[in-house]
Amino acid sequence: MFKEERAEAMFNWDMIGSIAEGRPNLGTTMDVSVYRLMQFTLRDVLIQELGVDAADRIFYKAGELAGRELFKSVITQKADFAAFIQELKDLLLNLKIGILRIEKSDLEKMEFTLTVAEDLDCSGLPVCEETVCTYDEGFISGLLLEFSGRRVVVKEVDCWCSGDRVCRFEVRPAA
Ligand SMILES: [Zn+2]
């Protein structure tokens, strides 16, 4: 699983395991601080070892893989865009990832503006004038790639960390 070298992603949803079986007393949820502790220490070490650009690239790519696999394994509404977005909104809410809103949507041009409030990755962090939700950028791109078959570039333009109350993402078709 994690001790095999690889050139391509080997992740699949089964790797998440049976949480209910493995954690009969503790259950399927835990504190957000634990998620952030893991993500931010990992990111800190990646930056130390590889630099900011490579760390960002890895986070984006991992987020994209997560979005693709979530779409394949969890999303059931794979044909109608409005139904897909509604299911995604409900899922992100139920999983307590964040509160998704679509501000602008043009499926033909593959141009979207969307916001995530109470984002798992950044809401409540100290303001530092950076947009930090690189994993989320990749995550959104992976979901849209699987839905549409088209590659997009997702850029976070507002973030809790840059002083905003929501994270705002601009989606454009990949060149
Ligand atoms: Zn953010």
Side-chain angles (χ1 to χ4, degrees), residues 119 122 131-133 136 156 158-161 166-169:
D119 187 89
C122 74
T131 53
V132 302
C133 298
D136 302 33
E156 189 183 33
D158 298 316
C159 181
W160 182 286
C161 282
V166 297
C167 300
R168 181 169 283 103
F169 299 90

Side-chain angles (χ1 to χ4, degrees), residues 53-69:
D53 287 350
D56 270 358
R57 206 160 51 241
I58 289 167
F59 258 63
Y60 190 100
K61 219 171 154 179
E64 184 172 88
L65 181 58
R68 296 186 73 168
E69 294 300 324

